[in-house]
C-alpha cells in the first residue's frame, strides 16, 4: 500500500484518536474534540493555516531524538520543556484536604452563572505563566469558543476558588468520557499566591474525579515552574513522559 498525505477531516477523528492513544497513552483525547477543532468555531485557531494570516506555528514534540530531529529538519526551533505527570486515582492516597483561607469558598465551574469571572482569572494567572505563547490578547468571545465550549471540558470537575465573587484560583478539568482526566490549566491570581489555593482547587478536583469513577489523572508541568511542580508532587503525581515546545516562523 502506497501511503498518501491529505488534509484531515471530521471522518478521520476516530482513527486519529486510536493512533494517539496507542502511541501516547497519557493523552486525553476524543473524536469529538478533534472534530470540533477541525470544523467548529475555533477551527481557525487550531488549524494554523498560512492563508489565515498565521505567522507563528506551535508544536509539542516528544522528548526523544528522532522526534526532535524531525522537528528541527522542518524548521522548528526548540522552546521550553514540559514534564507530563500521571496519577492512578484508584490506588493513590491523596493528602488531607487543605482548609480554605478565610473568605474563600470552593465551587465548580458548573456553578458559575457566567464564565466571565473565570476568563478574567485565566488571563490574570496566565500573564506571568512560563511559556512560549501567551494568551493576553484573547477576547472573551474567542476564549469562550476555544476553552469554555470545548466538548471535553468537564465543568463539574473544574474547580474554582472565589472571594467576594471574584475567581482567585482555579483548575480546569478535561475528560475523555471513559477513564482519563487532564488538568487543562491551574492558576492563581498574583495577589492570592502563597496561600495554598492551587493545592486547594487541585485536591478538590482530583477527589471529585475519583468519585466520578475516573482512573487516570494527568497534568503537564513546565519544567521551570518550580511552584507548580511542588503542588503536583504534593498531590502524588509522578513523571510519565516529557516533551519540548517548538515554534516555527511561517512568514517574516
Amino acid at each position: 500500500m502506497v501511503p498518501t498525505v491529505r488534509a484531515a477531516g471530521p471522518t478521520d477523528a476516530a482513527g486519529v484518536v486510536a493512533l494517539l492513544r496507542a502511541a501516547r497513552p497519557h493523552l486525553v483525547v476524543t473524536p469529538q474534540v478533534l472534530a470540533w477543532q477541525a470544523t467548529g468555531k475555533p477551527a481557525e485557531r487550531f488549524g494554523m493555516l498560512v492563508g489565515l494570516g498565521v505567522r507563528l506555528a506551535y508544536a509539542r514534540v516528544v522528548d526523544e531524538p528522532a522526534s526532535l530531529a524531525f522537528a528541527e529538519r522542518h524548521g522548528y526551533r526548540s522552546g521550553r520543556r514540559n514534564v507530563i505527570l500521571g496519577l492512578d486515582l484508584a490506588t493513590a492516597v491523596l493528602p488531607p484536604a487543605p482548609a480554605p483561607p478565610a473568605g474563600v469558598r470552593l465551587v465548580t465551574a458548573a456553578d458559575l452563572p457566567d464564565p466571565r469571572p473565570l476568563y478574567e482569572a485565566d488571563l490574570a494567572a496566565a500573564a506571568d505563566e512560563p511559556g512560549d505563547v501567551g494568551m493576553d490578547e484573547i477576547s472573551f468571545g474567542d476564549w469562550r469558543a476555544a476553552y469554555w465550549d470545548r466538548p471535553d471540558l468537564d465543568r463539574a470537575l473544574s474547580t474554582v476558588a472565589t472571594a467576594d465573587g471574584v475567581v482567585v484560583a482555579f483548575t480546569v478539568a478535561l475528560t475523555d468520557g471513559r477513564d482519563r482526566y487532564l488538568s487543562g490549566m491551574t492558576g492563581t491570581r498574583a495577589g492570592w499566591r502563597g496561600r495554598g489555593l492551587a493545592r486547594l482547587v487541585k485536591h478538590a478536583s482530583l477527589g471529585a474525579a475519583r468519585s466520578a469513577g475516573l482512573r487516570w489523572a494527568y497534568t503537564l508541568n513546565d519544567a521551570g515552574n518550580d511552584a507548580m511542580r511542588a503542588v503536583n508532587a504534593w498531590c502524588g503525581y509522578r513523571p510519565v513522559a516529557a516533551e519540548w515546545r517548538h515554534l516555527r516562523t511561517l512568514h517574516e
Side-chain angles (χ1 to χ4, degrees):
M1 180 181 294
V2 179
T4 61
V5 178
R6 60 173 173 78
T11 59
D12 299 307
V16 172
V17 167
L19 174 62
L20 290 173
R21 285 175 172 162
R24 306 185 70 193
H26 57 271
L27 289 180
V28 177
V29 62
T30 68
Q32 292 78 14
V33 169
L34 294 188
W36 168 77
Q37 289 177 342
T39 62
K41 187 173 180 181
E44 293 185 2
R45 183 177 182 84
F46 290 101
M48 304 298 279
L49 308 169
V50 176
L52 296 172
V54 173
R55 296 294 179 263
L56 195 65
Y58 168 80
R60 289 160 46 186
V61 182
V62 179
D63 188 10
E64 60 183 23
S67 298
L68 295 172
F70 179 87
E72 183 178 352
R73 288 198 306 271
H74 287 79
Y76 284 86
R77 63 183 185 274
S78 179
R80 300 179 68 91
R81 187 171 185 264
N82 278 335
V83 180
I84 301 163
L85 307 169
L87 179 65
D88 183 348
L89 291 172
T91 61
V93 178
L94 294 177
V104 173
R105 72 185 189 99
L106 289 182
V107 297
T108 71
D111 298 322
L112 297 175
D114 177 2
R116 187 176 288 272
L118 180 56
Y119 157 75
E120 294 169 349
D122 195 6
L123 262 61
D128 57 357
E129 179 190 15
D132 308 294
V133 181
M135 59 172 288
D136 55 338
E137 298 298 324
I138 191 170
S139 68
F140 174 64
D142 286 344
W143 175 89
R144 181 163 189 155
Y147 299 103
W148 183 255
D149 293 333
R150 58 181 297 151
D152 57 348
L153 174 65
D154 193 318
R155 297 178 188 175
L157 299 183
S158 299
T159 305
V160 299
T162 66
D164 295 325
V166 175
V167 174
V168 295
F170 62 92
T171 189
V172 173
L174 309 177
T175 60
D176 67 355
R178 303 197 310 179
D179 60 355
R180 298 181 188 181
Y181 162 108
L182 174 68
S183 294
M185 168 65 176
T186 300
T188 304
R189 287 181 179 270
W192 288 83
R193 292 173 187 166
R195 308 187 197 189
L197 294 181
R199 296 189 182 199
L200 181 69
V201 294
K202 291 203 79 162
H203 187 284
S205 184
L206 287 171
R210 171 186 280 171
S211 298
L214 297 175
R215 172 70 186 271
W216 305 106
Y218 297 100
T219 190
L220 277 69
N221 206 154
D222 183 277
N225 190 340
D226 293 337
M228 190 53 65
R229 290 180 67 181
V231 170
N232 288 324
W234 175 82
C235 290
Y237 282 102
R238 296 293 179 266
V240 296
E243 63 186 21
W244 289 86
R245 286 172 278 183
H246 279 63
L247 297 173
R248 177 184 173 184
T249 301
L250 301 180
H251 283 296
E252 297 296 340

